[in-house]
Amino acid sequence: MIKTPTRRISLEEFLQLPETNPASEYVDGEIVQKPMPQGKHSRLQLQLPNAINSVAEPKKTALAFPELRCTFGGRSTVPDVAVFAWNRIPVDEKGNIANVFNTCPDWTIEILSPEQSTTKVTKNILHCLNHGTSLGWLIDPEENCVLVYPPHQQLIFLENEEDTLPVPDLVSDLHLTLGQLFGWLKL
């Protein structure tokens, strides 16, 4: 993440600013711009929501959203993939998916970019867990590993192709191994 030199502003002031590309996040009173996604990041960010939605959407148990701004607990972050239980998806007055999500995702997934700080991304995952998120993943495509953050439990480190990635109950039909996940990067 690239720290944008700026004066400290309130969350309300931040939310009035125009969106940036790549997205900016509001963390601890400061604006932090995410790095521009590169090839591996983009591919995983495309395939993961597709895989999740293919099992969850037909049953109306959850929806996965790439690059969705989530504002809660004094922060406004943009997880690479945010998964919401179907009954927690905000809707507008017409019953359509709302544009603004002022709540934590049920599952947050971050894909580490080469220039990103693992510590800063982990802080965002922990913030989600501290506000009700049921699972966090930190995917490192350079190391072909995934750090799994279950709430109130020890971190799980997965690095073997046959390792099955744990998923929340709302997408229990999703069976994905590390080999399948990183297989999406092969041509």
Side-chain angles (χ1 to χ4, degrees), residues 11 31-32 37 40 50 57 60-61 68 72 74 76 80 83-84 98 102 108 125 128 135 145 154 157 180-181 184:
L11 176 58
I31 299 171
V32 181
K40 292 175 185 177
N50 288 342
E57 191 169 2
K60 296 185 177 186
T61 58
L68 176 69
F72 59 94
S76 185
D80 292 320
V83 182
F84 283 84
N102 289 323
T108 184
I125 293 171
C128 288
L135 188 66
C145 66
Q154 182 174 333
F157 179 77
Q180 291 168 314
L181 175 74
W184 290 332

Side-chain angles (χ1 to χ4, degrees), residues 43-108:
R43 178 70 176 156
L44 292 172
Q45 192 174 18
L46 170 72
Q47 290 300 107
L48 268 169
N50 288 342
I52 294 164
N53 289 337
S54 72
V55 298
E57 191 169 2
K59 294 181 178 184
K60 296 185 177 186
T61 58
L63 271 180
F65 298 87
E67 293 286 322
L68 176 69
R69 177 166 305 287
C70 299
T71 303
F72 59 94
R75 286 186 182 204
S76 185
T77 60
V78 183
D80 292 320
V81 180
V83 182
F84 283 84
W86 196 269
N87 63 350
R88 291 190 63 246
I89 299 169
V91 295
D92 63 18
E93 63 281 348
K94 295 178 183 175
N96 296 322
I97 294 172
N99 281 326
V100 177
F101 280 58
N102 289 323
T103 188
C104 67
D106 291 282
W107 178 14
T108 184

Side-chain angles (χ1 to χ4, degrees), residues 16 38 46 48 55 68 113 127-128 130 133 143 146 151 177 185:
Q16 296 304 312
Q38 297 176 2
L46 170 72
L48 268 169
V55 298
L68 176 69
S113 294
H127 178 76
C128 288
N130 288 333
T133 296
E143 298 290 330
V146 176
T177 66
L185 301 178

Side-chain angles (χ1 to χ4, degrees), residues 9-19 69 71 76 102:
I9 65 171
S10 70
L11 176 58
E12 293 73 24
E13 290 172 307
F14 169 78
L15 293 172
Q16 296 304 312
L17 296 173
E19 286 290 345
R69 177 166 305 287
T71 303
S76 185
N102 289 323

